[in-house]
């Protein structure tokens, strides 16, 4: 079952010197994983609610000549969440990259 509410946004900043920065966020709403909308999780982790979450990512870059080296971070606040419950039960979020 797909989540009912999801939103994403990106903010960019660029300077003529070649410096640029980007921040993005993804907001995902809560979801039930079964048609009965069970309030409690099953022992095997296959059914139950999934809480909503918000993630922040960032990137900075400096362009000079044909090269643009950059540094980026995903899940900057190291938010832990249940990404899904299928196919084998609880699948936790990835870690900060």
């Amino acid at each position: 079952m797909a989540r009912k509410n999801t939103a994403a946004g990106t903010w960019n900043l660029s300077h003529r010197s070649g410096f640029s920065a980007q921040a993005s966020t993804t907001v995902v709403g809560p979801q039930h994983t079964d048609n009965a909308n069970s309030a409690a999780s099953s022992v095997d982790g296959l059914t139950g609610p999934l809480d909503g979450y918000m993630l922040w990512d960032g990137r900075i870059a400096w362009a000079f000549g044909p090269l643009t080296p950059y540094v980026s971070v995903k899940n900057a606040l190291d938010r832990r969440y249940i990404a899904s419950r299928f196919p084998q039960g609880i699948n936790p979020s990835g870690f900060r990259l």
Side-chain angles (χ1 to χ4, degrees):
M1 301 176 88
R3 294 189 188 246
K4 185 176 179 181
N5 300 308
T6 303
T10 302
W11 298 269
N12 292 303
L13 172 69
S14 296
H15 190 268
R16 63 179 156 228
S17 66
F19 173 80
S20 63
Q22 181 181 57
S24 60
T25 187
T26 303
V27 179
V28 179
Q31 170 191 0
H32 288 278
T33 58
D34 61 346
N35 291 331
N37 291 336
S38 302
S41 298
S42 64
V43 175
D44 61 8
L46 290 173
T47 61
L50 295 176
D51 293 333
Y53 58 89
M54 180 168 66
L55 302 175
W56 286 94
D57 304 328
R59 179 179 186 268
I60 57 171
W62 196 286
F64 56 97
L67 301 175
T68 306
Y70 66 90
V71 175
S72 65
V73 62
K74 299 281 189 181
N75 193 7
L77 302 178
D78 202 20
R79 174 80 163 87
R80 306 287 177 165
Y81 58 94
I82 298 174
S84 72
R85 290 185 179 268
F86 293 105
Q88 299 172 333
I90 294 174
N91 294 309
S93 64
F95 50 89
R96 179 177 48 222
L97 296 174

